[in-house]
C-alpha cells in the first residue's frame, strides 16, 4: 500500500483525496495517535493522480481574496446565546438556511460520545451541532451527502474547521447552493484521545459520563472555557481537576494534529464565506458591548456571506469591528498557528507507548491551585471568579 501525502505535517485528514478517487481505493486509516491518514490500495489504483491534485495543502491553501468585514455579534435571543459557545452566530445563520428548506452540516457527539459529522433538516436536529467540540470529527459520508443535497437543488450550509470547509468547497467546485462557515481554529486533538479521556474520567469518578460539554455555561459559569461532564445520575461536574483535564491537555499543545502547527488558515485569509469565533478581549475594545453570556467575532469573507449577513442581521445585536480590535485580546489563531509544546515528541512517544493516563499525569498534573480549589469548594471559587470578572467589564 502506498501513501498520498509526504509527511504528517502535510495531511490534515480531511478525506478529500478519498472522496474524489474514481476507483474508491483510498481509505482513511487511523495511526497510533488516532489521526486518520489516507492509504491507497495499489491493486486497484489506476494512477490517475486525482488524489494528489485535490489535496488542499499540497496545492496551496485556497481562500477568499476579498478583505473580510469584521463584526462583534450576539443573538438577540439570550437562551440561544446561553446554549451556544459564544454569541450564537451559528444558530442565526443555520436558522436562515433551514427556513429556505436547506440542510445544515455540523459536528456532534453521538450517543457513545464519538465526534462525528452529520446533517440536520430541522432546528431540533441542528441543535446537536451547537457547542464547540475541541476534537477532530470523522468526515465519513460528508462529501457524498453534501453532493446529494446540492444535486437535489437544496441549499446546503457546511460548518467546520477551516481545512474541512476548504475541502468541501473544493469538492463542490463552489456550487452556488453551497454556503460555508469555518471558525478561527486552535487545532484539533484526535477522536481517540478524547475517547481515552472519557474512559479515564469515568474510571476516576466511577460513573458513566453521558455527555461532555467542551464549553459549559450555566447561571454561575459564564462565558469562559470551562468544560463539564454530565454523569449518568444527572450530576454536573464542571469544577474538578478531572472535568478540566481535556481542556488543560488541549492548551498544552502536545496533542493536536501535526498539520495544525503549520496551518495556513491561522490568519485573516479565510476559506469559508463566513468565519465564526469567540470575541476574546471584547471587554478591552468594546466594554459597553461585552456580555458575560458570550459574544461572537464574525468575519464576512465573500459576497454570499454578505448576503446572508444582510438577511439575518435583524436577529442580531452587532457592531462593526476590525482586525486590530479582533486581535487585541487572546485571538492569536487569527495571526499564527500554535507552536508545538517543546516536549511534543516526548508526548507523542509516551502516548503511544504508555497511554493517556501516563501523559495526563506528566503533562497536566494536579497542581497546588487544583488542591486549593477543592479545599475552598466550588461555590466560593465561582463567587470570587465572577466578582473578578464583573470588575473587568
Ligand atoms: C476545534 C475548534 C477550535 C476552535 N478554536 C478557536 C480559537 O482558537 N479561537 C476562537 O475564537 N474560536 C475558536 N473556535 C470557535 C468557537 O469555539 C465557536 O465555535 C465560535 O465562537 C462560534 O460560536 P457560536 O456561539 O456561534 O457557536 P455554536 O452554536 O456553539 O456552534 C458551533 C459550530 O461549530 C461546529 N463545530 C463544533 N465542533 C466542531 C468540530 N470539532 N469540527 C467541526 N465543526 C465543529 C458546529 O457544527 C457548529 O457549526 C474553535 C472551535 C472548534 C470546534
Amino acid at each position: 500500500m502506498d501513501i498520498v501525502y509526504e509527511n504528517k505535517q502535510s495531511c490534515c485528514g480531511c478525506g478529500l483525496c478519498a472522496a474524489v478517487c474514481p476507483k474508491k481505493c483510498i481509505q482513511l486509516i487511523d495511526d497510533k495517535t488516532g489521526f486518520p491518514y489516507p492509504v491507497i490500495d495499489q491493486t486497484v489504483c489506476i494512477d490517475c493522480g486525482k488524489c494528489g491534485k485535490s489535496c488542499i495543502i499540497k496545492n496551496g491553501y485556497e481562500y477568499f481574496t476579498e478583505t473580510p468585514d469584521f463584526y462583534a455579534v450576539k443573538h438577540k435571543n439570550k437562551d440561544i446565546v446561553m446554549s451556544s459557545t459564544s454569541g450564537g452566530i451559528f444558530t442565526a445563520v443555520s436558522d436562515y438556511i433551514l427556513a429556505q428548506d436547506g440542510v445544515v452540516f455540523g459536528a456532534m457527539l453521538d450517543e457513545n460520545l464519538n465526534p462525528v459529522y452529520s446533517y440536520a433538516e430541522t432546528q431540533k436536529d441542528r441543535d446537536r451541532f451547537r457547542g464547540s467540540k475541541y476534537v477532530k470529527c470523522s468526515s465519513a459520508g460528508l462529501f457524498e451527502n453534501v453532493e446529494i443535497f446540492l444535486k437535489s437543488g437544496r441549499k446546503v450550509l457546511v460548518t467546520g474547521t477551516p481545512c474541512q470547509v476548504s475541502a468541501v468547497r473544493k469538492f463542490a467546485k463552489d456550487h452556488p447552493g453551497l454556503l460555508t462557515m469555518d471558525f478561527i481554529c486552535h487545532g484539533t486533538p484526535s477522536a481517540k484521545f478524547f475517547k481515552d479521556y472519557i474512559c479515564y474520567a469515568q474510571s476516576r469518578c466511577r460513573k458513566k459520563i453521558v455527555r461532555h460539554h467542551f464549553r459549559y455555561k450555566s447561571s454561575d459559569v459564564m462565558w469562559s472555557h470551562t468544560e463539564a461532564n454530565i454523569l449518568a445520575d444527572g450530576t454536573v461536574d464542571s469544577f474538578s481537576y478531572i472535568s478540566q483535564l481535556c481542556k488543560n491537555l488541549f492548551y498544552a499543545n502536545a496533542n493536536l494534529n501535526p498539520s495544525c502547527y503549520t496551518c495556513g488558515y491561522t490568519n485573516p485569509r479565510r476559506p469559508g464565506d463566513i468565519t465564526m469565533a469567540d470575541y476574546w478581549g471584547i471587554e478591552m475594545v468594546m466594554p459597553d458591548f461585552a456580555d458575560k453570556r458570550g459574544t461572537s467575532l464574525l468575519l464576512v469573507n465573500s459576497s454570499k456571506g454578505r448576503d446572508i449577513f444582510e438577511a439575518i442581521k435583524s436577529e442580531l445585536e452587532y457592531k462593526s469591528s476590525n482586525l486590530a480590535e479582533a486581535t487585541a485580546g487572546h485571538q492569536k489563531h487569527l495571526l499564527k498557528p500554535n507552536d508545538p509544546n517543546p516536549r511534543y515528541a516526548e508526548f507523542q512517544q509516551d502516548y503511544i507507548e504508555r497511554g493517556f493516563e501516563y501523559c495526563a499525569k506528566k503533562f497536566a498534573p494536579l497542581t497546588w491551585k487544583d488542591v486549593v480549589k477543592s479545599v475552598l469548594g466550588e461555590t466560593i471559587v465561582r463567587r470570587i471568579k465572577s466578582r473578578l470578572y464583573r470588575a473587568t467589564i
Side-chain angles (χ1 to χ4, degrees):
M1 281 203 176
D2 203 356
I3 52 170
V4 193
Y5 57 98
E6 277 157 25
N7 53 51
K8 290 188 174 176
Q9 286 71 35
S10 63
C11 179
C12 60
C14 68
L16 179 58
C17 51
V20 299
C21 172
K23 300 303 281 183
K24 296 289 164 240
C25 68
I26 302 182
Q27 259 186 298
L28 289 177
I29 296 180
D30 288 353
D31 74 355
K32 287 181 181 160
T33 60
F35 287 113
Y37 291 97
V39 179
I40 303 176
D41 179 349
Q42 291 295 345
T43 60
V44 184
C45 175
I46 52 169
D47 214 10
C48 67
K50 283 195 173 163
C51 49
K53 282 180 207 143
S54 73
C55 179
I56 60 161
I57 296 184
K58 203 175 182 171
N59 300 292
Y61 291 86
E62 287 178 16
Y63 46 84
F64 286 104
T65 49
E66 298 163 50
T67 310
D69 299 330
F70 287 75
Y71 297 96
V73 302
K74 299 180 280 199
H75 205 290
K76 283 183 182 167
N77 180 334
K78 297 308 165 199
D79 291 337
I80 291 176
V81 175
M82 283 301 284
S83 47
S84 304
T85 302
S86 51
I89 183 61
F90 162 66
T91 299
V93 175
S94 53
D95 270 347
Y96 177 77
I97 296 294
L98 292 172
Q100 316 278 308
D101 191 33
V103 186
V104 177
F105 284 76
M108 56 179 258
L109 296 181
D110 71 9
E111 63 281 9
N112 298 315
L113 304 185
N114 295 307
V116 292
Y117 256 102
S118 189
Y119 61 84
E121 297 175 77
T122 62
Q123 289 180 320
K124 187 166 175 273
D125 284 349
R126 179 279 318 276
D127 289 351
R128 299 169 306 168
F129 306 150
R130 278 194 192 140
S132 291
K133 292 97 198 165
Y134 296 123
V135 59
K136 175 107 190 150
C137 285
S138 161
S139 56
L142 171 66
F143 299 98
E144 295 80 350
N145 287 323
V146 166
E147 185 171 36
I148 291 168
F149 286 118
L150 285 175
K151 278 193 173 156
S152 71
R154 308 269 299 269
K155 281 199 164 61
V156 171
L157 168 66
V158 173
T159 62
T161 60
C163 49
Q164 284 162 330
V165 159
S166 179
V168 171
R169 263 188 64 211
K170 198 160 184 186
F171 178 79
K173 301 189 178 74
D174 279 334
H175 192 287
L178 176 70
L179 179 78
T180 51
M181 203 168 169
D182 69 286
F183 42 77
I184 296 176
C185 189
H186 173 101
T188 48
S190 69
K192 171 180 160 40
F193 193 85
F194 175 63
K195 289 307 291 271
D196 285 352
Y197 161 72
I198 293 291
C199 286
Y200 175 61
Q202 286 183 153
S203 74
R204 286 291 300 272
C205 62
R206 295 201 188 85
K207 283 188 190 120
K208 189 170 164 52
I209 295 170
V210 290
R211 256 181 304 146
H212 180 81
H213 290 281
F214 290 84
R215 291 287 293 276
Y216 183 64
K217 287 183 193 171
S218 70
S219 52
D220 59 354
V221 183
M222 283 295 165
W223 186 43
S224 63
H225 188 160
T226 299
E227 302 207 356
N229 286 322
I230 315 298
L231 310 179
D233 61 5
T235 314
V236 179
D237 178 10
S238 63
F239 186 71
S240 69
Y241 160 74
I242 290 293
S243 69
Q244 304 311 307
L245 181 57
C246 200
K247 171 187 83 176
N248 293 340
L249 287 163
F250 182 61
Y251 287 127
N253 289 326
N255 63 353
L256 305 179
N257 187 300
S259 68
C260 296
Y261 300 103
T262 49
C263 175
Y265 290 124
T266 46
N267 55 56
R269 295 192 299 268
R270 309 305 309 170
D273 297 285
I274 296 172
T275 301
M276 54 185 158
D278 292 285
Y279 205 129
W280 296 128
I282 188 154
E283 65 284 355
M284 293 189 283
V285 293
M286 292 181 201
D288 50 341
F289 197 71
D291 187 328
K292 61 182 180 173
R293 289 167 292 198
T295 307
S296 296
L297 170 66
L298 171 69
L299 274 65
V300 180
N301 310 312
S302 70
S303 55
K304 236 189 240 177
R306 267 193 292 281
D307 291 345
I308 298 287
F309 182 66
E310 283 305 312
I312 63 165
K313 68 184 191 188
S314 60
E315 304 296 320
L316 307 168
E317 294 170 57
Y318 63 93
K319 269 193 165 188
S320 276
S321 189
N322 55 50
L323 179 62
E325 285 179 348
T327 50
H330 310 293
Q331 196 51 274
K332 72 170 190 182
H333 306 122
L334 195 51
L335 299 173
K336 66 188 260 307
N338 278 309
D339 293 322
N341 186 302
R343 293 194 293 159
Y344 175 81
E346 189 183 331
F347 182 96
Q348 296 300 310
Q349 198 176 344
D350 283 343
Y351 182 51
I352 292 167
E353 289 171 7
R354 296 166 183 251
F356 178 90
E357 182 173 349
Y358 181 86
C359 284
K361 287 182 176 156
K362 188 166 169 183
F363 290 86
L366 190 70
T367 63
W368 64 266
K369 268 194 197 165
D370 300 307
V371 177
V372 171
K373 266 168 74 180
S374 67
V375 171
L376 282 178
E378 177 166 3
T379 322
I380 298 174
V381 173
R382 291 246 151 92
R383 231 176 260 159
I384 297 170
K385 272 191 166 176
S386 97
R387 286 222 181 111
L388 287 173
Y389 185 89
R390 275 203 296 275
T392 61
I393 58 173

